[in-house]
Amino acid sequence: QVLLQESGPGLVKPSETLSLTCTVSGGSISSYYWNWIRQSPGMGLEWIGYVYYTGSSNSNPSLKSRVTISVDTSRNQFSLKLNSVTAADTAVYYCARLNSATLGGFDIWGQGTMVTVSS
Amino acid sequence: QSVLTQPPSVSGAPGQRVTISCTGDNSNIGPRYYVHWYQQFPGNAPKLLIYGDNNRPSGVPDRFSASKSGTSASLAISGLQPEDEAHYFCQSYDTTLSGFWVFGGGTKLTVL
């Protein structure tokens, strides 16, 4: 059973960089697209971006200039960096797996981690 | 504002059938792009409920079904049960700009 677990600071100051890591357990990070998705309090879901196990990545056009997503296959982890954060970046951040077997649906999610942007 | 449009809320009595709509346009929901549905309980991560327009992952009851027509999709829940009370989100792929995954704003289902 593949499990995902997010980790990282729960509080980030405005203008600084939000950094999160997702650890994949119970399976290999090789193959699949690994994603970051966030959900602002009381709001809907927003796809942030993905990284493939080869290291190729893509991100939401609305966030592209601030987002870096990377993968460490030796540790079965992938990471998100979002720079120049503001209060609007306060959200629950999820990591999730995109599976071709589910035709592009996100079939496995981490439990989520709340990140608050505040001084 | 979400790219895909869902009603903020729907409700139904136990045993009834409810539907939740998801409206997009020709840059997302359409003949080429699948729609997926998620169920989310408070404090939990979303769970994939329907994938590829109308397929249920293992373990999802057949009370849940979905369909797609043109640039809209809908999720149907029949034989409504109290434990179905949750938020439901649709998801597809959008081809504007460099392409990205998009979600609906979510629909809160209340079981009366």
Side-chain angles (χ1 to χ4, degrees):
Chain A
Q1 179 188 4
V2 176
L3 296 176
L4 306 182
Q5 178 67 60
E6 305 89 350
S7 59
L11 181 64
V12 182
K13 290 183 168 56
S15 80
E16 296 191 345
T17 297
L18 179 159
S19 295
L20 297 174
T21 295
C22 182
T23 301
V24 180
S25 60
S28 173
I29 203 168
S30 297
S31 299
Y32 305 109
Y33 289 84
W34 302 97
N35 297 259
W36 289 98
I37 296 164
R38 69 182 182 180
Q39 185 171 31
S40 302
M43 300 292 286
L45 297 159
E46 181 179 31
W47 177 74
I48 299 170
Y50 74 72
V51 64
Y52 195 47
Y53 75 101
T54 57
S56 65
S57 64
N58 192 17
S59 55
N60 193 313
S62 68
L63 300 169
K64 188 179 286 287
S65 63
R66 298 195 292 132
V67 167
T68 301
I69 302 177
S70 58
V71 64
D72 185 339
T73 55
S74 66
R75 295 187 175 189
N76 245 28
Q77 294 177 333
F78 62 104
S79 299
L80 167 70
K81 290 189 186 301
L82 179 66
N83 59 36
S84 304
V85 297
T86 69
D89 295 310
T90 293
V92 176
Y93 285 75
Y94 295 101
C95 54
R97 187 179 80 171
L98 186 71
N99 192 346
S100 60
T102 53
L103 305 176
F106 300 101
D107 66 335
I108 299 175
W109 295 64
Q111 65 185 27
T113 187
M114 179 70 202
V115 178
T116 301
V117 178
S118 175
S119 56
Chain B
Q1 191 167 356
S2 301
V3 174
L4 305 180
T5 301
Q6 296 181 237
S9 62
V10 298
S11 62
Q16 283 188 334
R17 180 179 185 270
V18 296
T19 61
I20 298 172
S21 62
C22 175
T23 303
D25 58 37
N26 285 318
S27 65
N28 40 69
I29 297 176
R32 291 183 61 194
Y33 299 106
Y34 291 112
V35 177
H36 317 281
W37 292 89
Y38 300 84
Q39 179 187 57
Q40 185 180 33
F41 296 106
N44 286 11
K47 168 193 165 186
L48 184 63
L49 191 67
I50 297 285
Y51 69 90
D53 293 344
N54 56 12
N55 300 283
R56 287 186 307 277
S58 174
V60 174
D62 59 8
R63 301 186 296 104
F64 295 91
S65 63
S67 62
K68 187 178 79 175
S69 177
T71 57
S72 293
S74 65
L75 173 71
I77 309 171
S78 60
L80 206 55
Q81 298 183 3
E83 57 263 34
D84 297 332
E85 185 162 298
H87 279 87
Y88 294 85
F89 295 90
C90 60
Q91 174 233 323
S92 188
Y93 184 79
D94 193 289
T95 57
T96 54
L97 300 174
S98 58
F100 58 108
W101 281 267
V102 292
F103 291 89
T107 299
K108 172 65 188 302
L109 168 63
T110 299
V111 181
L112 302 171

